[in-house]
């Protein structure tokens, strides 16, 4: 056969960041579970499906000793997630894969079990309303399932019938009586979350037994009548499985709410509020190995001049005073696990551009930093002898990978995983500068290969969201390496309101978003453009969410940048405040005066920089009204309006079926492709075509 000389020969890109098809195909790890004896580790790996239009997760097992290669243990077109080991080693997970024994029903997210001895997974509980997640007790044969019931249903049978009737009638409407009504991209209601204790099911009476058929597990609702109060609250089950501790959200009037801490008896469903304060929200951390003490995350409720603060406390499970833990530590800790002897806790906390693992001594409150590298650790689990922890580790130089941590020495060893670290082109540096008030401001700077005094790189300023966050971990949404591969340097500053720099850094920006957060970012930019390897004449500012807010603020307060990219951004604060999914959160800080003083839309007449506006219609965190109003006001009121022919330098990249994030791989490629086109035109003065898939 004659070779087809017209087809280009595929060329392997230098790195996956030089080709968007290769970038979106990098497998993505999340979650980590360890079994009771510490011999098995399971993580979830999302990969592209065969059509390259969705990610599908599968469970992979890793060798905690690091000797054997990782192996895939589940496989289905729908994927699996939420792995939890039962104490006997069986693995529970959720999946919407079809039930091989009940192929007539529409697939829902069901509870599956993979036996410890091997063999295929089977469905152990399925219900029309689906199963959201499962947690298992560390030392007892007990597990709790989170699943939703329709508000008016009396039991599972009634719930099933109501759901069936609603579906057959084609009704999607939701009648609300309270707030909130949305969360991120989800419509809340008419179902409400409940916690179910998992119990042995009974064989149907008179049904002939078959060789392999086992009854489904039964679910016992231990949170009857809790209304909407368990929304966004997770169950923490004690090691002996006897109690569940959870946050419970209670209304406080005028659309506001707070979170109290509740103990639920797993056997009876009896409930007791164990922490309740008008000044703090409480969340449950893990329960101690002897089942006596729960670690509590204490979040100070905010106000116009009261920034948030996060501390830990220890509370006797059966009642008693809340004892502060490491109260003087100037950090916002997140508890991960108890040491098995009960002497301490393993926590993570943002710290100076990283999120290391720490141990806290529960007797003295002494804090010890365990991991020393500039990386961020999540999903930390601990071995039964307390000598070793396992975690997902990432940084701005590598995506999440599973590591083993020697808790005594702090030595961190990557375990053989499903995927190698992707090669990067360029390098990462830390940049130190000071804000207008002399406060330190730190940033990361990604430099493209070849940047130097003789070939200074164009600069992209990337502003993080939150604003209570830090550029300290890998994100797939904001990958500077894709832009570095095109020759740009990318500045990632942590300005006022960033986490990991102490309470003072939060206070500097609270209620004053346009002040220190903005001037810190400009100070970081000034420091970087003064370098010989950066070209001050070719720059752009970009940000998403709160970072988009700041990009909009930058647009109205300086014309130093050649272009601005603003994704899912807050534009008019008086409109954002009451329409976002959690108005009660923002409006505590955002008085009418604060909103007026800090709203980017009030400065639209000063905007003379071309802006690329990006928004997803299903974004409930920063509703589409922000993007629509920004777009119209740019064209109608800015200093760079649409001309008499309707022509404009601004662009609006609109995703009708995406939300706050751009989740579909084909849309992520469009996102980066349009950003590259826009930057090339306005920053480099070069022509790069928009992605062909836009059909233009
Ligand atoms: C509703 S409470 C939490 C709001 C949260 N802010 C933080 C963590 O400070 C938030 O979602 N803010 C968005 C406006 C935002 O900027 N989101 C960021 C970070 O989550 C994003 O990149 O999407």
């Amino acid at each position: 056969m004659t070779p087809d000389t017209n087809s280009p020969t595929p060329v392997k890109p230098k790195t996956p960041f030089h080709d968007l098809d290769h970038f979106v195909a990098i497998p993505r790890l999340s979650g980590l579970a360890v079994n009771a004896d510490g011999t098995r580790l399971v993580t979830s790996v999302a990969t592209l499906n065969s059509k390259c239009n969705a990610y599908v997760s599968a469970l992979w097992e890793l060798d905690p000793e690091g000797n054997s290669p990782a192996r895939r243990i589940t496989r289905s077109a729908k994927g699996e997630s939420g792995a939890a080991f039962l104490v006997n080693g069986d693995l529970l997970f959720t999946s919407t894969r079809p039930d091989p024994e009940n192929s007539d029903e529409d697939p829902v997210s069901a509870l599956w079990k993979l036996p410890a001895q091997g063999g295929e997974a089977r469905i152990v509980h399925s219900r029309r309303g689906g199963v959201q997640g499962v947690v298992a007790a560390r030392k007892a044969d007990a597990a709790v399932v989170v699943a939703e019931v329709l508000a008016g249903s009396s039991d599972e049978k009634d719930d099933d019938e109501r759901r069936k009737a609603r579906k057959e009638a084609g009704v999607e409407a939701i009648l609300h009586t309270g707030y909130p009504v949305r969360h991120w991209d989800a419509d809340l209601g008419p179902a409400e979350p409940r916690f179910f204790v998992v119990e042995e099911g009974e064989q149907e009476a008179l049904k002939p037994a078959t060789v392999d058929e086992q009854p489904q597990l039964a679910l016992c609702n231990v949170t009857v009548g809790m209304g909407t109060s368990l929304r966004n609250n997770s169950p923490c089950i004690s090691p002996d499985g006897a109690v569940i501790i959870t946050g419970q959200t209670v209304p406080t009037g005028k659309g506001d709410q707070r979170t109290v801490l509740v103990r639920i008896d797993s056997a009876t469903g009896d409930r007791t509020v164990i922490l309740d304060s008008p000044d703090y929200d409480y969340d449950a951390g893990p329960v101690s190995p002897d089942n006596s003490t729960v670690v509590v995350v204490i979040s100070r409720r905010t106000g116009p001049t009261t920034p948030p603060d996060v501390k830990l406390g220890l509370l006797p499970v059966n009642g008693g005073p809340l004892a502060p833990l490491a109260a003087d530590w100037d950090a916002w800790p997140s508890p991960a696990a108890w040491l098995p002897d009960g002497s301490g806790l393993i926590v993570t906390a943002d710290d100076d551009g990283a999120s290391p693992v720490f141990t806290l001594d529960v007797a003295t409150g002494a804090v010890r930093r365990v991991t020393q590298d500039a990386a961020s650790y999540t999903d930390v689990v601990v071995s039964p002898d307390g000598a070793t922890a396992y975690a997902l580790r990432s940084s701005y130089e590598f995506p999440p990978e599973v590591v083993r941590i020697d808790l005594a020495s702090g030595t961190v060893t990557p375990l053989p995983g499903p995927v190698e670290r992707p090669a990067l082109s360029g390098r990462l540096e830390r940049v130190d500068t000071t804000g207008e008030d002399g406060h330190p401001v730190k940033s990361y700077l990604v430099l493209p290969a070849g940047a130097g005094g003789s070939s200074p790189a164009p600069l992209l300023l990337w502003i993080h969201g939150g604003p209570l966050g830090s550029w300290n971990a890998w994100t797939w949404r904001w990958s500077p390496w894709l832009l570095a591969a095109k020759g740009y340097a990318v500045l990632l500053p942590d300005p006022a309101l960033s986490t990991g720099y102490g309470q003072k850094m939060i206070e500097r920006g609270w209620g004053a978003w346009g002040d220190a957060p903005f001037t810190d970012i400009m100070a970081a930019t000034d420091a970087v453009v003064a370098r010989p390897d950066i070209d001050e004449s070719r720059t752009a500012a970009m940000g998403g969410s709160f970072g988009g807010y700041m990009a909009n603020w930058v647009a109205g307060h300086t014309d130093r940048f050649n272009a601005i990219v603003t994704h899912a951004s807050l534009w008019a604060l008086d409109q954002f405040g009451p329409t976002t999914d959690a108005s009660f959160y923002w409006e505590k800080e955002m008085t009418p005066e604060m909103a007026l003083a800090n709203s980017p839309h009030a400065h639209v007449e000063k905007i003379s920089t071309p802006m690329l506006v990006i928004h997803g219609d299903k974004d409930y965190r920063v509703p589409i009204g922000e993007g629509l109003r920004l777009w119209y006001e740019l064209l109608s009121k800015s200093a760079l309006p649409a001309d008499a022919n309707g022509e404009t330098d601004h662009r609006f990249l609109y995703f009708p079926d995406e939300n706050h994030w751009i989740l579909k791989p084909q849309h992520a490629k469009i996102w980066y492709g349009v950003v590259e086109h826009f930057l090339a035109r306005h920053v480099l003065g070069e022509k790069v075509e928009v992605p062909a898939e836009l059909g233009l």
Side-chain angles (χ1 to χ4, degrees):
M1 205 165 85
T2 321
D4 178 0
T5 45
N6 292 326
S7 305
T9 314
V11 180
K12 192 167 180 240
K14 203 167 138 202
T15 74
F17 304 96
H18 286 80
D19 181 322
L20 283 168
D21 284 318
H22 287 253
F23 169 72
V24 296
I26 302 173
R28 304 172 175 198
L29 274 63
S30 63
L32 192 62
V34 64
N35 72 341
D37 67 11
T39 55
R40 297 180 66 200
L41 277 175
V42 167
T43 190
S44 179
V45 183
T47 47
L48 281 184
N49 66 0
S50 56
K51 290 184 179 157
C52 297
N53 62 7
Y55 288 101
V56 183
S57 296
L59 301 181
W60 283 69
E61 182 163 344
L62 290 90
D63 176 9
E65 297 295 327
N67 298 323
S68 309
R71 66 187 181 98
R72 185 173 177 162
I73 56 171
T74 63
R75 189 176 294 275
S76 74
K78 294 291 184 181
E80 300 81 24
S81 54
F85 278 107
L86 289 171
V87 77
N88 69 0
D90 290 350
L91 186 66
L92 295 176
F93 62 86
T94 58
S95 177
T96 53
R97 30 158 102 171
D99 179 356
E101 296 185 12
N102 203 352
S103 50
D104 295 344
E105 293 290 342
D106 286 345
V108 290
S109 174
L111 187 65
W112 290 72
K113 184 160 83 174
L114 188 59
Q117 292 78 13
E120 287 205 26
R122 71 177 182 95
I123 281 201
V124 286
H125 194 91
S126 182
R127 57 193 296 279
R128 198 180 299 274
V131 164
Q132 271 72 54
V134 58
V135 291
R138 291 291 297 153
K139 295 184 181 169
D141 183 17
V144 174
V145 158
V146 181
E148 296 205 320
V149 301
L150 287 176
S153 59
S154 55
D155 57 24
E156 283 288 273
K157 185 163 174 291
D158 184 28
D159 189 64
D160 187 75
E161 284 164 6
R162 286 170 188 254
R163 284 179 186 276
K164 192 164 177 232
R166 195 175 147 89
K167 187 170 177 194
E168 284 175 1
V171 169
E172 299 285 339
I174 304 164
L175 178 62
H176 290 287
T177 58
Y179 190 84
V181 299
R182 297 164 143 198
H183 186 63
W184 286 115
D185 59 345
D187 292 304
L188 302 180
E192 302 168 339
R194 298 284 181 267
F195 300 162
F196 295 82
V197 169
V198 177
E199 297 178 340
E200 285 303 320
E202 283 179 19
Q203 187 66 265
E204 271 179 62
L206 304 179
K207 190 175 175 194
T210 64
V211 175
D212 58 1
E213 193 176 340
Q214 295 170 30
Q216 287 214 345
L217 296 177
L219 296 188
C220 174
N221 183 352
V222 290
T223 51
V224 174
M226 290 193 77
T228 59
S229 67
L230 294 176
R231 276 189 188 143
N232 300 321
N233 291 304
S234 308
C236 243
I237 184 167
S238 59
D240 64 2
V243 297
I244 301 161
I245 315 275
T246 181
Q248 180 182 6
T249 305
V250 294
T252 57
K254 299 192 172 175
D256 201 0
Q257 60 179 48
R258 63 195 173 84
T259 309
V260 302
L261 205 69
V262 180
R263 182 187 67 230
I264 301 166
D265 186 304
S266 304
T268 63
D270 288 347
R271 292 197 290 273
T272 312
V273 174
I274 51 176
L275 276 180
D276 183 351
S277 161
D279 301 323
Y280 297 95
D281 290 316
Y282 299 108
D283 197 11
V287 177
S288 59
D290 67 359
N291 304 293
S292 69
T293 310
V294 60
V295 56
V296 181
V297 181
I298 308 161
S299 304
R300 183 169 72 189
R301 286 166 61 75
T302 60
T305 56
T306 309
D309 195 4
V310 181
K311 294 287 175 209
L312 295 183
L314 296 173
L315 185 75
V317 166
N318 291 320
L322 176 67
L325 179 63
D328 296 334
W329 187 23
D330 193 7
W332 289 1
S334 174
W338 283 80
L339 293 173
D341 64 3
S343 65
L345 282 168
I346 300 181
V347 307
T348 57
D350 286 0
D351 187 299
D352 192 10
S355 192
V357 173
F358 299 85
T359 55
L360 295 188
D361 185 299
V362 294
T364 64
V367 179
R368 182 172 69 88
R369 181 169 173 167
V370 177
T371 57
Q372 304 297 331
D373 52 356
S376 292
Y377 292 78
T378 63
D379 303 276
V380 188
V381 294
V382 66
S383 67
D385 64 3
T388 312
Y390 305 93
L392 290 183
R393 170 176 76 167
S394 84
S395 84
Y396 252 91
E397 290 178 297
F398 52 89
E401 60 188 15
V402 182
V403 295
R404 184 177 67 232
I405 305 162
D406 183 294
L407 288 172
S409 67
T411 305
V412 181
T413 313
L415 295 177
V419 58
E420 297 285 311
R421 278 187 189 180
L424 302 175
S425 173
R427 65 180 204 278
L428 190 69
E429 278 187 17
R430 197 78 170 133
V431 174
D432 286 3
T433 187
T434 49
E436 280 183 355
D437 56 359
H439 199 279
V441 176
K442 308 241 193 152
S443 311
Y444 282 112
L445 177 66
V446 171
L447 284 156
S454 56
S455 57
L459 178 73
L460 306 179
L461 161 68
W462 284 20
I463 309 165
H464 73 65
L468 306 172
S470 166
W471 285 127
N472 62 11
W474 185 271
T475 88
W476 296 103
R477 294 158 67 201
W478 293 89
S479 180
W481 303 105
L482 285 164
L483 280 306
K486 304 288 176 197
Y488 295 95
V490 181
L491 174 64
L492 306 162
D494 272 350
L497 290 173
S498 296
T499 50
Y501 303 92
Q503 198 60 24
K504 176 76 185 157
M505 193 68 157
I506 307 295
E507 286 163 11
R508 292 173 66 239
W510 191 253
W513 297 355
D515 296 342
F518 169 66
T519 52
D520 282 1
I521 288 167
M522 291 304 107
T525 309
D526 290 339
V528 163
V529 295
R531 295 166 56 119
D533 51 1
I534 299 294
D535 182 351
E536 184 174 12
S537 69
R538 297 184 296 161
T539 61
M542 305 172 52
S545 201
F546 180 87
Y549 158 86
M550 189 53 77
N552 295 340
W553 187 260
V554 167
H557 287 80
T558 172
D559 58 4
R560 67 184 291 175
F561 297 99
N562 303 114
I564 301 231
V565 179
T566 183
H567 171 90
S569 68
L570 291 63
W571 171 242
L573 295 189
D574 62 339
Q575 166 185 282
F576 164 78
T579 57
T580 178
D581 58 349
S583 298
F584 50 80
Y585 171 84
W586 298 98
E587 294 211 326
K588 289 191 182 62
E589 177 185 11
M590 208 191 286
T591 60
E593 299 74 33
M594 183 278 191
L596 194 62
N598 293 282
S599 192
H601 86 289
H603 304 273
V604 64
E605 283 86 358
K606 290 181 270 170
I607 295 180
S608 58
T609 310
M611 293 185 75
L612 170 59
V613 179
I614 311 178
H615 223 112
D617 193 74
K618 301 292 177 279
D619 185 348
Y620 296 167
R621 177 62 40 104
V622 182
I624 184 64
E626 297 299 300
L628 293 175
R629 182 166 167 184
L630 165 56
W631 180 242
Y632 177 67
E633 294 189 348
L634 272 183
L635 299 198
S636 60
K637 292 186 180 175
S638 74
L640 191 65
D643 70 16
N645 298 317
E647 300 288 331
T648 174
D649 278 342
H650 306 298
R651 292 289 180 271
F652 184 15
L653 178 60
Y654 170 65
F655 291 96
D657 63 346
E658 295 279 7
N659 52 51
H660 197 60
W661 308 281
I662 304 305
L663 295 179
K664 294 181 180 167
Q666 65 273 28
H667 285 162
K669 283 168 48 187
I670 296 288
W671 193 99
Y672 282 110
V674 172
V675 166
E676 192 202 337
H677 155 85
F678 191 75
L679 295 176
R681 176 170 171 202
H682 295 290
V683 178
L684 308 181
E686 292 173 5
K687 186 162 180 177
V688 169
E689 298 295 341
V690 294
E693 296 85 344
L694 281 170
L696 299 173

